[in-house]
Amino acid sequence: MPGLLTSSCNVRTLLGLEHVSAIGVDLVRGAKTLSLIKEFGLPGKILFAGVVDGHNIWANDLAASVTVIEEMQHALGKENLVVPTSCSLLHTAVDLKNETKLDAELKSWLAFTAQKLLEVVALANATAGKKDEAIHTFS
């Protein structure tokens, strides 16, 4: 499960773990995480940058997430970045298509597990330079 980097001590400890090749972080909840990664980098490590919030049922601000991912790509390189959810989707409902009685406007604000996975695909496509494919993810 992705964690939070809350201090430079955490980052130094992770960087010192020579047999760890990838690190997953929650960039939704970790206010300091983004700045610490930019400051220290993650040489020799792959970052799983959790930008789709797995803690709740609200739809992602895709534009804001693309900005965060692009900052991480600039700091670490595209080849060292993976786009997942911020945590397990264990506690989110399965699919909005099953919610037939919800108000359409309210429904547009929500993202359950199936929709959050589409958000991850759209963000991965958008940040890989496939913006047209990202747009079609929700068609």
Side-chain angles (χ1 to χ4, degrees):
M1 176 184 302
L4 304 177
L5 296 177
T6 56
S7 72
S8 56
C9 181
N10 292 78
V11 177
R12 284 189 200 102
T13 300
L14 283 172
L15 292 175
L17 300 172
E18 63 186 63
H19 297 294
V20 173
S21 60
I23 298 167
V25 295
D26 179 346
L27 291 175
V28 175
R29 296 278 192 273
K32 292 174 109 180
T33 303
L34 187 59
S35 61
L36 286 168
I37 291 170
K38 285 181 185 177
E39 180 183 344
F40 288 91
L42 294 173
K45 312 266 187 234
I46 296 171
L47 177 67
F48 283 71
V51 293
V52 173
D53 196 344
H55 298 277
N56 63 41
I57 58 170
W58 302 112
N60 186 279
D61 179 347
L62 295 172
S65 291
V66 166
T67 299
V68 170
I69 293 166
E70 287 173 343
E71 289 178 37
M72 291 292 90
Q73 286 178 330
H74 180 70
L76 305 173
K78 284 185 178 186
E79 68 282 356
N80 296 317
L81 192 67
V82 178
V83 179
T85 56
S86 66
C87 65
S88 167
L89 298 175
L90 174 69
H91 299 291
T92 59
V94 176
D95 196 336
L96 269 172
K97 74 178 181 182
N98 299 326
E99 304 300 328
T100 58
K101 296 180 182 178
L102 286 179
D103 174 77
E105 183 178 1
L106 172 62
K107 204 170 177 178
S108 73
W109 301 339
L110 302 176
F112 292 174
T113 299
Q115 291 72 41
K116 288 185 181 288
L117 294 175
L118 289 174
E119 291 172 345
V120 168
V121 170
L123 290 167
N125 282 333
T127 55
K130 302 174 186 173
K131 296 206 183 213
D132 289 340
E133 290 180 36
I135 292 166
H136 293 300
T137 302
F138 295 100
S139 303

